[in-house]
Amino acid sequence: MPAIVSRGQRFLGCAMRGKLVVGNWKMNGGLRQNDALLAELRVGWAAPPTRELAVCVPYPYLWQAQAALSGSAIAWGAQNVSEHAGGAFTGEVSAAMVAEFGCRYAIVGHSERRALYGESDAVVAAKADAALAAGLTPVVCVGETLAEREAGTTEVVVLRQLDAVAARLGGRIGAVVIAYEPVWAIGTGRTASPAEAQAVHRLLRRRLGSVDAAAAEVPLLYGGSVKADNAKALFAGADIDGALVGGASLKADEFLAIAHA
Ligand code: PGA
Protein backbone atom coordinates (compact mmCIF):
# COMPACT_ATOMS: atom_id res chain seq x y z
CA MET A 1 0.00 0.00 0.00
CA PRO A 2 1.47 3.40 -0.88
CA ALA A 3 2.30 5.67 2.03
CA ILE A 4 -0.15 8.48 2.55
CA VAL A 5 1.50 11.65 1.37
CA SER A 6 1.02 14.48 3.82
CA ARG A 7 -0.20 17.90 2.77
CA GLY A 8 3.31 19.09 3.43
CA GLN A 9 4.77 16.56 1.05
CA ARG A 10 2.07 17.26 -1.50
CA PHE A 11 3.06 20.79 -2.25
CA LEU A 12 6.43 21.27 -0.68
CA GLY A 13 8.31 18.07 -1.23
CA CYS A 14 9.06 17.73 2.46
CA ALA A 15 7.63 15.72 5.29
CA MET A 16 6.46 18.58 7.48
CA ARG A 17 2.94 19.90 7.32
CA GLY A 18 3.13 23.09 5.27
CA LYS A 19 1.21 26.22 4.46
CA LEU A 20 0.41 27.57 1.01
CA VAL A 21 -0.29 31.28 0.60
CA VAL A 22 -1.66 32.36 -2.79
CA GLY A 23 -2.11 35.98 -3.82
CA ASN A 24 -5.05 36.91 -6.03
CA TRP A 25 -4.31 40.27 -7.61
CA LYS A 26 -7.77 40.39 -9.25
CA MET A 27 -7.96 43.11 -11.95
CA ASN A 28 -5.17 45.18 -10.46
CA GLY A 29 -1.66 45.98 -11.58
CA GLY A 30 0.35 47.63 -14.28
CA LEU A 31 3.77 46.91 -15.74
CA ARG A 32 5.67 49.32 -13.53
CA GLN A 33 3.97 48.56 -10.26
CA ASN A 34 4.12 44.82 -10.95
CA ASP A 35 7.88 45.08 -11.48
CA ALA A 36 8.28 46.68 -8.08
CA LEU A 37 5.94 44.27 -6.30
CA LEU A 38 7.43 41.13 -7.85
CA ALA A 39 10.97 42.30 -7.11
CA GLU A 40 10.07 43.03 -3.49
CA LEU A 41 8.49 39.60 -3.13
CA ARG A 42 11.48 37.88 -4.68
CA VAL A 43 13.92 39.66 -2.39
CA GLY A 44 11.74 39.43 0.70
CA TRP A 45 10.63 35.81 0.53
CA ALA A 46 12.85 33.76 2.80
CA ALA A 47 11.13 30.55 1.63
CA PRO A 48 10.94 28.60 4.88
CA PRO A 49 10.85 24.89 4.00
CA THR A 50 7.25 24.37 5.08
CA ARG A 51 5.77 27.37 3.29
CA GLU A 52 4.93 28.01 -0.32
CA LEU A 53 4.09 31.38 -1.82
CA ALA A 54 2.34 32.02 -5.13
CA VAL A 55 0.79 34.96 -6.99
CA CYS A 56 -2.13 34.73 -9.42
CA VAL A 57 -1.93 37.66 -11.81
CA PRO A 58 -4.01 38.99 -14.74
CA TYR A 59 -3.31 37.13 -18.00
CA PRO A 60 -1.30 39.89 -19.69
CA TYR A 61 1.19 39.83 -16.83
CA LEU A 62 1.87 36.09 -16.79
CA TRP A 63 5.03 36.61 -18.83
CA GLN A 64 6.13 39.30 -16.40
CA ALA A 65 5.58 37.07 -13.38
CA GLN A 66 7.46 34.31 -15.16
CA ALA A 67 10.37 36.61 -15.96
CA ALA A 68 10.50 38.08 -12.47
CA LEU A 69 10.01 34.88 -10.46
CA SER A 70 11.72 32.15 -12.50
CA GLY A 71 14.42 30.55 -10.39
CA SER A 72 12.86 31.87 -7.18
CA ALA A 73 10.84 29.88 -4.64
CA ILE A 74 7.67 31.81 -5.56
CA ALA A 75 5.17 30.21 -7.93
CA TRP A 76 2.71 32.05 -10.17
CA GLY A 77 -0.58 31.39 -11.85
CA ALA A 78 -3.73 32.71 -13.48
CA GLN A 79 -7.07 33.74 -11.99
CA ASN A 80 -9.26 31.85 -14.42
CA VAL A 81 -9.08 29.52 -17.42
CA SER A 82 -11.58 28.60 -20.09
CA GLU A 83 -13.41 25.31 -19.71
CA HIS A 84 -12.74 24.76 -23.42
CA ALA A 85 -9.49 23.50 -24.93
CA GLY A 86 -9.52 25.92 -27.86
CA GLY A 87 -11.42 27.26 -30.84
CA ALA A 88 -14.07 29.92 -31.45
CA PHE A 89 -14.35 31.41 -27.97
CA THR A 90 -13.46 35.06 -28.50
CA GLY A 91 -11.77 36.64 -25.52
CA GLU A 92 -11.20 33.37 -23.68
CA VAL A 93 -7.84 31.94 -22.57
CA SER A 94 -7.19 28.21 -22.40
CA ALA A 95 -5.43 26.38 -19.60
CA ALA A 96 -2.78 25.19 -22.07
CA MET A 97 -1.99 28.83 -22.97
CA VAL A 98 -1.62 29.70 -19.32
CA ALA A 99 0.59 26.67 -18.75
CA GLU A 100 2.98 27.89 -21.46
CA PHE A 101 3.95 30.73 -19.14
CA GLY A 102 5.25 28.38 -16.47
CA CYS A 103 2.21 28.70 -14.22
CA ARG A 104 1.71 26.24 -11.40
CA TYR A 105 -1.77 27.38 -10.36
CA ALA A 106 -5.06 28.57 -11.82
CA ILE A 107 -7.83 29.88 -9.61
CA VAL A 108 -11.21 28.57 -10.75
CA GLY A 109 -14.71 29.30 -9.47
CA HIS A 110 -13.87 32.48 -7.58
CA SER A 111 -17.11 33.91 -6.19
CA GLU A 112 -16.69 37.04 -8.32
CA ARG A 113 -16.73 34.86 -11.42
CA ARG A 114 -19.66 32.83 -10.14
CA ALA A 115 -21.66 35.96 -9.28
CA LEU A 116 -20.60 38.42 -12.01
CA TYR A 117 -20.02 36.06 -14.94
CA GLY A 118 -22.61 33.42 -14.17
CA GLU A 119 -20.22 30.51 -13.72
CA SER A 120 -22.24 27.50 -12.60
CA ASP A 121 -20.96 24.60 -10.51
CA ALA A 122 -20.74 22.56 -13.73
CA VAL A 123 -18.66 25.22 -15.48
CA VAL A 124 -16.35 25.53 -12.48
CA ALA A 125 -15.88 21.75 -12.48
CA ALA A 126 -15.10 21.81 -16.20
CA LYS A 127 -12.54 24.57 -15.61
CA ALA A 128 -10.87 22.56 -12.86
CA ASP A 129 -10.75 19.62 -15.25
CA ALA A 130 -9.25 21.77 -18.02
CA ALA A 131 -6.61 23.15 -15.65
CA LEU A 132 -5.57 19.68 -14.50
CA ALA A 133 -5.43 18.44 -18.08
CA ALA A 134 -2.96 21.24 -18.86
CA GLY A 135 -0.76 20.33 -15.91
CA LEU A 136 -1.92 23.19 -13.69
CA THR A 137 -3.10 22.86 -10.11
CA PRO A 138 -6.59 24.36 -9.91
CA VAL A 139 -7.33 26.42 -6.80
CA VAL A 140 -11.07 25.74 -6.63
CA CYS A 141 -13.01 28.36 -4.67
CA VAL A 142 -16.13 27.55 -2.69
CA GLY A 143 -18.09 29.70 -0.28
CA GLU A 144 -21.51 30.87 0.81
CA THR A 145 -23.08 34.32 0.54
CA LEU A 146 -24.22 36.23 3.61
CA ALA A 147 -27.85 35.36 2.83
CA GLU A 148 -26.95 31.68 2.60
CA ARG A 149 -25.07 31.80 5.90
CA GLU A 150 -27.94 33.60 7.61
CA ALA A 151 -30.36 31.02 6.21
CA GLY A 152 -28.24 28.29 7.77
CA THR A 153 -27.30 26.77 4.42
CA THR A 154 -23.51 27.24 4.51
CA GLU A 155 -22.83 23.51 4.66
CA VAL A 156 -25.26 22.66 1.90
CA VAL A 157 -23.79 25.32 -0.39
CA VAL A 158 -20.10 24.55 0.06
CA LEU A 159 -20.65 20.79 -0.20
CA ARG A 160 -22.73 21.25 -3.35
CA GLN A 161 -19.90 23.30 -4.87
CA LEU A 162 -17.27 20.76 -3.80
CA ASP A 163 -19.31 17.74 -4.91
CA ALA A 164 -19.75 19.17 -8.41
CA VAL A 165 -15.97 19.27 -8.83
CA ALA A 166 -15.42 15.89 -7.17
CA ALA A 167 -18.06 14.27 -9.40
CA ARG A 168 -16.34 15.57 -12.50
CA LEU A 169 -12.77 14.80 -11.43
CA GLY A 170 -13.31 11.48 -9.66
CA GLY A 171 -10.03 10.27 -8.19
CA ARG A 172 -8.22 13.34 -9.56
CA ILE A 173 -9.85 15.52 -6.90
CA GLY A 174 -6.77 14.72 -4.81
CA ALA A 175 -4.68 16.87 -7.16
CA VAL A 176 -6.50 20.15 -6.54
CA VAL A 177 -6.30 22.89 -3.93
CA ILE A 178 -9.58 24.08 -2.39
CA ALA A 179 -10.08 27.63 -1.13
CA TYR A 180 -12.96 28.29 1.23
CA GLU A 181 -13.94 31.92 0.73
CA PRO A 182 -17.12 33.07 2.44
CA VAL A 183 -18.46 35.68 0.03
CA TRP A 184 -19.38 38.02 2.90
CA ALA A 185 -15.73 38.13 3.97
CA ILE A 186 -14.21 38.99 0.58
CA GLY A 187 -12.93 42.55 0.36
CA THR A 188 -15.15 43.58 3.25
CA GLY A 189 -12.66 43.63 6.09
CA ARG A 190 -14.93 41.14 7.81
CA THR A 191 -13.10 37.83 8.30
CA ALA A 192 -14.62 34.54 9.34
CA SER A 193 -13.46 33.84 12.87
CA PRO A 194 -10.82 31.12 13.10
CA ALA A 195 -13.50 28.84 14.59
CA GLU A 196 -15.99 29.58 11.80
CA ALA A 197 -13.35 28.95 9.15
CA GLN A 198 -12.07 25.79 10.81
CA ALA A 199 -15.62 24.39 11.08
CA VAL A 200 -16.15 24.66 7.33
CA HIS A 201 -12.65 23.36 6.57
CA ARG A 202 -13.31 20.34 8.74
CA LEU A 203 -16.52 19.68 6.86
CA LEU A 204 -14.70 19.94 3.52
CA ARG A 205 -11.89 17.70 4.78
CA ARG A 206 -14.37 15.03 5.85
CA ARG A 207 -16.14 15.10 2.52
CA LEU A 208 -12.84 14.85 0.66
CA GLY A 209 -11.76 12.06 2.97
CA SER A 210 -14.75 10.03 1.84
CA VAL A 211 -13.24 9.95 -1.67
CA ASP A 212 -9.80 8.56 -0.87
CA ALA A 213 -6.61 9.15 1.10
CA ALA A 214 -5.15 11.58 -1.43
CA ALA A 215 -8.32 13.68 -1.42
CA ALA A 216 -8.20 13.85 2.37
CA GLU A 217 -4.84 15.61 2.05
CA VAL A 218 -5.96 18.29 -0.39
CA PRO A 219 -4.66 21.68 0.84
CA LEU A 220 -7.57 23.75 2.14
CA LEU A 221 -6.96 27.50 1.99
CA TYR A 222 -9.08 30.15 3.71
CA GLY A 223 -9.80 33.39 1.88
CA GLY A 224 -11.65 36.58 2.78
CA SER A 225 -9.98 39.66 4.27
CA VAL A 226 -6.86 37.77 5.35
CA LYS A 227 -4.33 40.24 6.75
CA ALA A 228 -1.02 40.01 8.56
CA ASP A 229 -2.78 40.53 11.88
CA ASN A 230 -5.35 37.72 11.51
CA ALA A 231 -3.36 35.16 9.51
CA LYS A 232 -1.67 33.51 12.44
CA ALA A 233 -4.91 32.77 14.27
CA LEU A 234 -6.50 31.41 11.09
CA PHE A 235 -3.47 29.24 10.31
CA ALA A 236 -3.75 27.66 13.75
CA GLY A 237 -6.89 25.82 12.58
CA ALA A 238 -6.13 22.11 12.23
CA ASP A 239 -7.61 21.99 8.72
CA ILE A 240 -6.48 25.42 7.51
CA ASP A 241 -3.50 24.89 5.23
CA GLY A 242 -2.97 28.45 4.12
CA ALA A 243 -4.71 31.40 2.55
CA LEU A 244 -5.98 32.90 -0.68
CA VAL A 245 -5.28 36.60 -0.30
CA GLY A 246 -6.82 39.39 -2.35
CA GLY A 247 -6.27 43.01 -1.35
CA ALA A 248 -3.37 42.31 0.99
CA SER A 249 -1.44 40.53 -1.78
CA LEU A 250 -0.91 43.87 -3.54
CA LYS A 251 1.40 45.12 -0.79
CA ALA A 252 4.65 43.18 -0.58
CA ASP A 253 5.26 43.71 3.13
CA GLU A 254 1.70 42.76 4.09
CA PHE A 255 1.66 39.72 1.82
CA LEU A 256 5.04 38.53 3.05
CA ALA A 257 3.94 38.99 6.65
CA ILE A 258 0.90 36.78 5.98
CA ALA A 259 3.09 34.16 4.32
CA HIS A 260 5.45 34.13 7.30
CA ALA A 261 2.67 34.18 9.92
P1 PGA B 1 -9.68 39.73 -0.02
O1 PGA B 1 -10.01 38.81 -1.30
O2 PGA B 1 -8.47 39.14 0.65
O3 PGA B 1 -9.43 41.09 -0.59
O4 PGA B 1 -10.88 39.68 0.86
C1 PGA B 1 -9.86 37.42 -1.25
C2 PGA B 1 -10.24 36.83 -2.57
O5 PGA B 1 -11.22 37.28 -3.19
O6 PGA B 1 -9.59 35.88 -3.07
Short mmCIF file of all heavy atoms in Angstrom, two decimals, residues 8-45:
data_model
loop_
_atom_site.label_atom_id
_atom_site.label_comp_id
_atom_site.label_asym_id
_atom_site.label_seq_id
_atom_site.Cartn_x
_atom_site.Cartn_y
_atom_site.Cartn_z
N GLY A 8 2.00 18.47 3.56
CA GLY A 8 3.31 19.09 3.43
C GLY A 8 4.06 18.52 2.25
O GLY A 8 4.57 19.24 1.40
N GLN A 9 4.06 17.20 2.15
CA GLN A 9 4.77 16.56 1.05
C GLN A 9 4.14 16.91 -0.28
O GLN A 9 4.81 17.08 -1.28
CB GLN A 9 4.75 15.04 1.24
CG GLN A 9 5.67 14.58 2.35
CD GLN A 9 5.48 13.11 2.64
OE1 GLN A 9 4.36 12.61 2.70
NE2 GLN A 9 6.58 12.40 2.81
N ARG A 10 2.79 16.99 -0.27
CA ARG A 10 2.07 17.26 -1.50
C ARG A 10 2.61 18.49 -2.23
O ARG A 10 2.91 18.46 -3.40
CB ARG A 10 0.59 17.51 -1.20
CG ARG A 10 -0.38 16.47 -1.65
CD ARG A 10 -0.50 16.36 -3.14
NE ARG A 10 -0.88 17.61 -3.78
CZ ARG A 10 -2.10 18.09 -3.77
NH1 ARG A 10 -3.07 17.47 -3.15
NH2 ARG A 10 -2.37 19.21 -4.41
N PHE A 11 2.71 19.59 -1.51
CA PHE A 11 3.06 20.79 -2.25
C PHE A 11 4.41 21.36 -1.91
O PHE A 11 4.83 22.35 -2.46
CB PHE A 11 1.96 21.86 -2.20
CG PHE A 11 1.55 22.34 -0.83
CD1 PHE A 11 2.23 23.34 -0.21
CD2 PHE A 11 0.44 21.80 -0.21
CE1 PHE A 11 1.82 23.81 1.02
CE2 PHE A 11 0.03 22.27 1.02
CZ PHE A 11 0.71 23.27 1.65
N LEU A 12 5.14 20.69 -1.05
CA LEU A 12 6.43 21.27 -0.68
C LEU A 12 7.57 20.28 -0.77
O LEU A 12 8.71 20.64 -0.57
CB LEU A 12 6.35 21.82 0.75
CG LEU A 12 5.37 22.97 0.87
CD1 LEU A 12 4.94 23.15 2.30
CD2 LEU A 12 5.97 24.24 0.33
N GLY A 13 7.25 19.05 -1.09
CA GLY A 13 8.31 18.07 -1.23
C GLY A 13 9.06 17.82 0.07
O GLY A 13 10.23 17.47 0.07
N CYS A 14 8.41 18.03 1.20
CA CYS A 14 9.06 17.73 2.46
C CYS A 14 8.02 17.11 3.40
O CYS A 14 6.82 17.17 3.16
CB CYS A 14 9.68 18.97 3.09
SG CYS A 14 8.47 20.11 3.70
N ALA A 15 8.51 16.53 4.46
CA ALA A 15 7.63 15.72 5.29
C ALA A 15 6.79 16.55 6.26
O ALA A 15 5.80 16.08 6.79
CB ALA A 15 8.47 14.71 6.07
N MET A 16 7.19 17.79 6.49
CA MET A 16 6.46 18.58 7.48
C MET A 16 5.18 19.17 6.89
O MET A 16 5.12 19.48 5.73
CB MET A 16 7.34 19.71 8.00
CG MET A 16 8.45 19.22 8.90
SD MET A 16 9.74 20.45 9.03
CE MET A 16 8.97 21.60 10.14
N ARG A 17 4.20 19.31 7.75
CA ARG A 17 2.94 19.90 7.32
C ARG A 17 3.20 21.36 6.94
O ARG A 17 3.77 22.12 7.71
CB ARG A 17 1.98 19.81 8.49
CG ARG A 17 0.74 20.62 8.39
CD ARG A 17 -0.38 19.83 7.74
NE ARG A 17 -1.54 20.68 7.67
CZ ARG A 17 -2.47 20.75 8.63
NH1 ARG A 17 -2.35 20.02 9.69
NH2 ARG A 17 -3.49 21.54 8.49
N GLY A 18 2.78 21.76 5.76
CA GLY A 18 3.13 23.09 5.27
C GLY A 18 1.95 24.02 5.14
O GLY A 18 0.81 23.65 5.43
N LYS A 19 2.25 25.23 4.74
CA LYS A 19 1.21 26.22 4.46
C LYS A 19 1.46 26.76 3.05
O LYS A 19 2.60 26.99 2.64
CB LYS A 19 1.29 27.39 5.45
CG LYS A 19 0.98 27.00 6.89
CD LYS A 19 -0.51 26.96 7.17
CE LYS A 19 -0.80 26.79 8.64
NZ LYS A 19 -1.32 25.47 8.99
N LEU A 20 0.36 26.99 2.35
CA LEU A 20 0.41 27.57 1.01
C LEU A 20 -0.33 28.90 1.06
O LEU A 20 -1.49 28.95 1.49
CB LEU A 20 -0.26 26.61 0.03
CG LEU A 20 -0.56 27.14 -1.38
CD1 LEU A 20 0.72 27.50 -2.12
CD2 LEU A 20 -1.35 26.09 -2.17
N VAL A 21 0.34 29.96 0.64
CA VAL A 21 -0.29 31.28 0.60
C VAL A 21 -0.30 31.77 -0.85
O VAL A 21 0.76 31.89 -1.47
CB VAL A 21 0.43 32.28 1.53
CG1 VAL A 21 -0.15 33.68 1.37
CG2 VAL A 21 0.31 31.82 2.99
N VAL A 22 -1.50 31.99 -1.39
CA VAL A 22 -1.66 32.36 -2.79
C VAL A 22 -2.24 33.77 -2.86
O VAL A 22 -3.27 34.05 -2.25
CB VAL A 22 -2.60 31.37 -3.52
CG1 VAL A 22 -2.79 31.78 -4.98
CG2 VAL A 22 -2.08 29.94 -3.42
N GLY A 23 -1.60 34.63 -3.60
CA GLY A 23 -2.11 35.98 -3.82
C GLY A 23 -3.03 36.01 -5.03
O GLY A 23 -2.75 35.37 -6.05
N ASN A 24 -4.11 36.73 -4.92
CA ASN A 24 -5.05 36.91 -6.03
C ASN A 24 -5.11 38.42 -6.30
O ASN A 24 -5.77 39.15 -5.57
CB ASN A 24 -6.43 36.37 -5.62
CG ASN A 24 -7.51 36.69 -6.63
OD1 ASN A 24 -7.22 37.09 -7.76
ND2 ASN A 24 -8.77 36.53 -6.24
N TRP A 25 -4.40 38.83 -7.32
CA TRP A 25 -4.31 40.27 -7.61
C TRP A 25 -5.64 40.83 -8.13
O TRP A 25 -5.83 42.03 -8.18
CB TRP A 25 -3.23 40.54 -8.66
CG TRP A 25 -1.83 40.40 -8.18
CD1 TRP A 25 -1.40 39.94 -6.96
CD2 TRP A 25 -0.63 40.74 -8.91
NE1 TRP A 25 -0.02 39.96 -6.90
CE2 TRP A 25 0.47 40.44 -8.08
CE3 TRP A 25 -0.39 41.25 -10.19
CZ2 TRP A 25 1.79 40.66 -8.50
CZ3 TRP A 25 0.91 41.46 -10.60
CH2 TRP A 25 1.99 41.16 -9.76
N LYS A 26 -6.53 39.96 -8.59
CA LYS A 26 -7.77 40.39 -9.25
C LYS A 26 -7.41 41.30 -10.43
O LYS A 26 -6.33 41.14 -11.01
CB LYS A 26 -8.71 41.06 -8.24
CG LYS A 26 -8.92 40.17 -7.00
CD LYS A 26 -10.10 40.55 -6.16
CE LYS A 26 -10.16 39.61 -4.96
NZ LYS A 26 -11.38 39.76 -4.19
N MET A 27 -8.27 42.27 -10.78
CA MET A 27 -7.96 43.11 -11.95
C MET A 27 -7.20 44.36 -11.50
O MET A 27 -7.67 45.49 -11.62
CB MET A 27 -9.24 43.49 -12.70
CG MET A 27 -8.96 43.96 -14.13
SD MET A 27 -10.44 44.17 -15.14
CE MET A 27 -11.09 45.69 -14.48
N ASN A 28 -6.03 44.10 -10.94
CA ASN A 28 -5.17 45.18 -10.46
C ASN A 28 -3.78 44.98 -11.03
O ASN A 28 -3.37 43.87 -11.33
CB ASN A 28 -5.09 45.15 -8.92
CG ASN A 28 -6.43 45.50 -8.28
OD1 ASN A 28 -6.93 46.61 -8.41
ND2 ASN A 28 -7.03 44.52 -7.62
N GLY A 29 -3.05 46.07 -11.13
CA GLY A 29 -1.66 45.98 -11.58
C GLY A 29 -1.40 46.85 -12.78
O GLY A 29 -2.29 47.49 -13.34
N GLY A 30 -0.16 46.86 -13.15
CA GLY A 30 0.35 47.63 -14.28
C GLY A 30 1.82 47.27 -14.38
O GLY A 30 2.41 46.85 -13.37
N LEU A 31 2.40 47.41 -15.56
CA LEU A 31 3.77 46.91 -15.74
C LEU A 31 4.73 47.44 -14.69
O LEU A 31 5.51 46.68 -14.10
CB LEU A 31 4.27 47.27 -17.14
CG LEU A 31 3.61 46.50 -18.30
CD1 LEU A 31 4.10 47.04 -19.63
CD2 LEU A 31 3.89 45.00 -18.18
N ARG A 32 4.69 48.74 -14.46
CA ARG A 32 5.67 49.32 -13.53
C ARG A 32 5.45 48.89 -12.10
O ARG A 32 6.38 48.50 -11.39
CB ARG A 32 5.65 50.84 -13.64
CG ARG A 32 6.48 51.29 -14.82
CD ARG A 32 6.40 52.75 -15.00
NE ARG A 32 6.86 53.46 -13.81
CZ ARG A 32 7.33 54.70 -13.84
NH1 ARG A 32 7.41 55.33 -15.00
NH2 ARG A 32 7.70 55.30 -12.74
N GLN A 33 4.19 48.95 -11.66
CA GLN A 33 3.97 48.56 -10.26
C GLN A 33 4.18 47.07 -10.05
O GLN A 33 4.65 46.64 -9.00
CB GLN A 33 2.59 49.04 -9.77
CG GLN A 33 1.38 48.35 -10.32
CD GLN A 33 0.18 49.28 -10.37
OE1 GLN A 33 0.09 50.18 -11.20
NE2 GLN A 33 -0.77 49.06 -9.49
N ASN A 34 3.88 46.26 -11.07
CA ASN A 34 4.12 44.82 -10.95
C ASN A 34 5.62 44.54 -10.78
O ASN A 34 6.01 43.68 -9.99
CB ASN A 34 3.67 44.05 -12.19
CG ASN A 34 2.20 44.22 -12.48
OD1 ASN A 34 1.45 44.68 -11.64
ND2 ASN A 34 1.79 43.86 -13.69
N ASP A 35 6.42 45.26 -11.57
CA ASP A 35 7.88 45.08 -11.48
C ASP A 35 8.35 45.28 -10.05
O ASP A 35 9.13 44.50 -9.51
CB ASP A 35 8.60 46.08 -12.39
CG ASP A 35 8.97 45.48 -13.73
OD1 ASP A 35 8.98 44.22 -13.83
OD2 ASP A 35 9.24 46.24 -14.66
N ALA A 36 7.85 46.36 -9.45
CA ALA A 36 8.28 46.68 -8.08
C ALA A 36 7.79 45.62 -7.11
O ALA A 36 8.55 45.13 -6.26
CB ALA A 36 7.74 48.07 -7.70
N LEU A 37 6.51 45.24 -7.23
CA LEU A 37 5.94 44.27 -6.30
C LEU A 37 6.63 42.91 -6.42
O LEU A 37 7.01 42.29 -5.42
CB LEU A 37 4.43 44.14 -6.58
CG LEU A 37 3.62 43.12 -5.80
CD1 LEU A 37 3.81 43.26 -4.29
CD2 LEU A 37 2.12 43.24 -6.15
N LEU A 38 6.81 42.45 -7.65
CA LEU A 38 7.43 41.13 -7.85
C LEU A 38 8.87 41.12 -7.36
O LEU A 38 9.33 40.14 -6.76
CB LEU A 38 7.35 40.75 -9.34
CG LEU A 38 5.93 40.48 -9.86
CD1 LEU A 38 5.90 40.43 -11.38
CD2 LEU A 38 5.35 39.18 -9.28
N ALA A 39 9.57 42.22 -7.58
CA ALA A 39 10.97 42.30 -7.11
C ALA A 39 11.02 42.28 -5.59
O ALA A 39 11.86 41.61 -4.98
CB ALA A 39 11.63 43.56 -7.66
N GLU A 40 10.09 43.01 -4.96
CA GLU A 40 10.07 43.03 -3.49
C GLU A 40 9.74 41.65 -2.93
O GLU A 40 10.30 41.23 -1.91
CB GLU A 40 9.01 44.03 -2.99
CG GLU A 40 9.46 45.47 -2.98
CD GLU A 40 8.34 46.37 -2.47
OE1 GLU A 40 8.07 46.39 -1.25
OE2 GLU A 40 7.72 47.05 -3.30
N LEU A 41 8.84 40.95 -3.60
CA LEU A 41 8.49 39.60 -3.13
C LEU A 41 9.68 38.67 -3.28
O LEU A 41 10.01 37.89 -2.38
CB LEU A 41 7.29 39.04 -3.92
CG LEU A 41 5.96 39.74 -3.71
CD1 LEU A 41 4.88 39.10 -4.59
CD2 LEU A 41 5.53 39.67 -2.24
N ARG A 42 10.34 38.77 -4.42
CA ARG A 42 11.48 37.88 -4.68
C ARG A 42 12.59 38.10 -3.64
O ARG A 42 13.15 37.15 -3.11
CB ARG A 42 12.01 38.13 -6.09
CG ARG A 42 13.03 37.10 -6.46
CD ARG A 42 13.52 37.19 -7.89
NE ARG A 42 14.57 36.19 -8.01
CZ ARG A 42 14.67 35.31 -8.97
NH1 ARG A 42 13.83 35.31 -9.97
NH2 ARG A 42 15.64 34.42 -8.97
N VAL A 43 12.86 39.34 -3.36
CA VAL A 43 13.92 39.66 -2.39
C VAL A 43 13.48 39.31 -0.97
O VAL A 43 14.25 38.81 -0.16
CB VAL A 43 14.29 41.16 -2.49
CG1 VAL A 43 15.16 41.59 -1.33
CG2 VAL A 43 14.97 41.45 -3.82
N GLY A 44 12.19 39.54 -0.68
CA GLY A 44 11.74 39.43 0.70
C GLY A 44 11.31 38.04 1.14
O GLY A 44 11.11 37.79 2.33
N TRP A 45 11.15 37.13 0.17
CA TRP A 45 10.63 35.81 0.53
C TRP A 45 11.77 34.90 0.97
O TRP A 45 12.60 34.48 0.17
CB TRP A 45 9.86 35.21 -0.63
CG TRP A 45 9.30 33.84 -0.38
CD1 TRP A 45 9.47 32.73 -1.15
CD2 TRP A 45 8.45 33.42 0.71
NE1 TRP A 45 8.80 31.66 -0.61
CE2 TRP A 45 8.17 32.06 0.53
CE3 TRP A 45 7.93 34.08 1.83
CZ2 TRP A 45 7.38 31.34 1.44
CZ3 TRP A 45 7.14 33.37 2.73
CH2 TRP A 45 6.87 32.02 2.52
#
